[in-house]
Each structure stands twice: as C-alpha cells, then as structure tokens.
C-alpha cells in the first residue's frame, strides 16, 4: 500500500449505531487531518493531529471522536450521528502541521446516516 | 477572514477545447495559492501551486498565474482530454491564519469525446 488509505470506502449507519473510520498513511508523515466534504460547501477541517497529539478541533460535535494511536494511523469514532452528518470524510497527512508542506489525501469514506 | 471564490459548475467541454476555471481570493498579506483536483472515487491531489505574485504554477498541461492586482488564480489548459474530467478546487494558505487551507467550493468539469 502506498500513500493514504481509508477504510471502509462506503458506510451506511443508523442514527443509534457506533462505527469507526480508519485512515493509514504510508508516507512517514507526522501530521494527520480529518476533513468533511459536503455538497455545496467548502471542505471543512475537523481535526488536526501532530505527532499523535491533537492540535486543532474545529468546533466539531462530540458525536465525532478522533483517535491517533501513532503517527501512521488515525481513527474517527462515530456515535449517535444525525442525517446531516452524511458526507464524504477525507483523511490527509503531511510532513508536519505547520502548513508549509503539501497535504496528501486519501480516497475518503462515503458515509450515509439513515 | 480569508476566502476563495471559484466559478460554479458544472463545466462541460468537448475534447481539445480550451479550459478556464476562474478563481478569486480575499486575503490579507501574501497568501500561497493552490489548485487541487479530485478524480472520481479518489481523494484530492495537488495539481499546482504558486507562492508569490506573478508566479506561474504548471502541471500536466494546466497553468495558473498568481495575479495580486486582480486577486486571481485562474486555471487554464489549452486542450482538455476526457481524462481531465474531475472536480477542481482552488485553495489558499496564509500566515495570518496559521496556514490552514481555505477552500473554494469546487468546479466540476466533464469532458466529452
């Protein structure tokens, strides 16, 4: 595997379910990101991790819970979601979180909340 | 705050047509400007960038010039191919906002054979 991978690629969940999204980067980067991509809206930065430490949390509801156990893996734990949370969730990584380095994106997880 | 505005799509062209996707920005200071591309079923990829005024970014036949006087970074390609069908995003980073990527809404391009 190369680059940034995300699993699952598609997920349908009910509002009472608990699920997790997984991201893995094979680039040796130290920063990882979660974004939400919704139709007709700009990409929304949700969380930023640098060396496994959360450095940014952009007013994301607590029903989204990130976890970064090491610099190669990032999870987004989901519980009691709302239909408006349906979107494409993108993971990205970069050499560091300063903003000087290019971000590399995974293919995303298409989430549908029913 | 900083913002990016790009032309609404979808844009539909025939193969070998000339492409322009307009992008303008609002930012203080001297932002860096980017074009990202998202092919169907894939994540975003950096297409090109420019970090100072009058710089021209180029890649895969695409070009964009950083115009500070018009606060623009329009994407152009002289002859599009079917394989260029994708969504194109204009974005900026700025030291004043900790270099977070600020995104446009994206412009969908469909190229017909």
């Amino acid at each position: 595997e190369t680059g940034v991978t995300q699993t699952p690629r598609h997920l349908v969940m009910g509002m009472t379910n608990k699920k997790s999204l997984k991201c893995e980067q094979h680039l040796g980067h130290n920063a990882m990101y979660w974004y939400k991509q919704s139709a007709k809206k700009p990409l929304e930065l949700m969380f930023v991790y640098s060396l496994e430490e959360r450095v940014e949390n952009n007013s994301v509801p607590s029903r989204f819970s990130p976890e970064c156990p090491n610099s190669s893996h990032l999870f987004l734990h989901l519980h009691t979601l709302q239909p408006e949370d349906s979107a494409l969730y993108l993971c990205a990584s970069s050499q560091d979180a300063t903003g000087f380095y290019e971000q590399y994106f995974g293919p995303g997880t298409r989430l549908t909340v029913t | 705050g900083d913002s990016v505005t790009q032309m609404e799509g979808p844009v539909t062209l025939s193969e070998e047509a000339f492409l322009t996707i307009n992008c303008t920005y609002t930012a203080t200071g001297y932002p860096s400007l980017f074009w990202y591309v998202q092919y169907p079923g894939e994540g975003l990829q950096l297409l090109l960038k420019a970090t100072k005024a009058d710089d021209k970014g180029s890649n895969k036949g695409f070009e964009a010039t950083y115009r500070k006087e018009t606060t623009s970074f329009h994407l152009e390609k002289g002859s599009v191919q079917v394989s260029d069908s994708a969504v194109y995003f204009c974005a900026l980073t700025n030291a004043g906002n900790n270099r977070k990527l600020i995104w446009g809404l994206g412009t969908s391009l469909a190229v017909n054979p």
Side-chain angles (χ1 to χ4, degrees):
Chain A
E1 289 280 11
T2 58
V4 181
T5 58
Q6 291 186 242
T7 54
R9 295 292 307 273
H10 300 272
L11 177 62
V12 179
M13 59 186 288
M15 292 167 62
T16 58
N17 291 160
K18 290 184 180 181
K19 296 285 185 183
S20 296
L21 311 185
K22 179 183 175 182
C23 175
E24 184 172 1
Q25 59 96 0
H26 308 266
L27 300 167
H29 289 163
N30 291 318
M32 296 187 78
Y33 310 77
W34 279 117
Y35 286 89
K36 178 182 179 182
Q37 185 178 20
S38 306
K40 310 292 186 188
K41 296 174 76 173
L43 259 73
E44 300 172 52
L45 179 63
M46 301 174 72
F47 301 105
V48 181
Y49 276 83
S50 176
L51 295 170
E52 300 122 60
E53 184 177 327
R54 192 189 310 178
V55 296
E56 187 146 349
N57 174 353
N58 282 329
S59 303
V60 179
S62 59
R63 56 186 184 269
F64 295 91
S65 175
E67 178 190 1
C68 188
N70 56 62
S71 60
S72 298
H73 293 86
L74 184 65
F75 295 88
L76 188 63
H77 303 299
L78 315 171
H79 65 96
T80 56
L81 295 191
Q82 305 298 311
E84 60 265 28
D85 297 322
S86 298
L88 183 68
Y89 289 85
L90 294 167
C91 174
S93 71
S94 62
Q95 192 165 325
D96 64 30
T98 60
F100 283 109
Y101 297 98
E102 178 183 350
Q103 292 183 24
Y104 292 79
F105 286 80
T109 295
R110 174 68 63 186
L111 173 67
T112 303
V113 181
T114 60
Chain B
D2 297 347
S3 65
V4 173
T5 302
Q6 59 183 110
M7 62 187 285
E8 287 191 34
V11 174
T12 303
L13 296 174
S14 298
E15 208 164 22
E16 300 184 2
F18 185 86
L19 168 71
T20 300
I21 300 178
N22 290 337
C23 172
T24 57
Y25 67 90
T26 301
T28 56
Y30 302 91
S32 294
L33 303 174
F34 305 83
W35 278 102
Y36 279 79
V37 58
Q38 187 176 30
Y39 297 105
E42 298 184 17
L44 283 77
Q45 305 172 24
L46 179 63
L47 180 61
L48 54 84
K49 67 179 181 182
T51 58
K52 61 183 189 294
D54 301 324
D55 267 3
K56 178 187 284 188
S58 60
N59 187 22
K60 300 182 181 179
F62 290 89
E63 294 182 338
T65 301
Y66 186 163
R67 300 283 188 205
K68 192 157 178 67
E69 63 276 15
T70 54
T71 62
S72 64
F73 193 55
H74 304 322
L75 182 68
E76 296 182 335
K77 186 175 186 183
S79 176
V80 292
Q81 305 301 311
V82 172
S83 57
D84 294 324
S85 299
V87 182
Y88 293 81
F89 293 88
C90 187
L92 69 82
T93 61
N94 200 349
N97 68 358
N98 296 318
R99 294 188 181 83
K100 284 188 273 191
L101 278 162
I102 305 297
W103 299 89
L105 291 178
T107 302
S108 175
L109 170 65
V111 180
N112 298 319

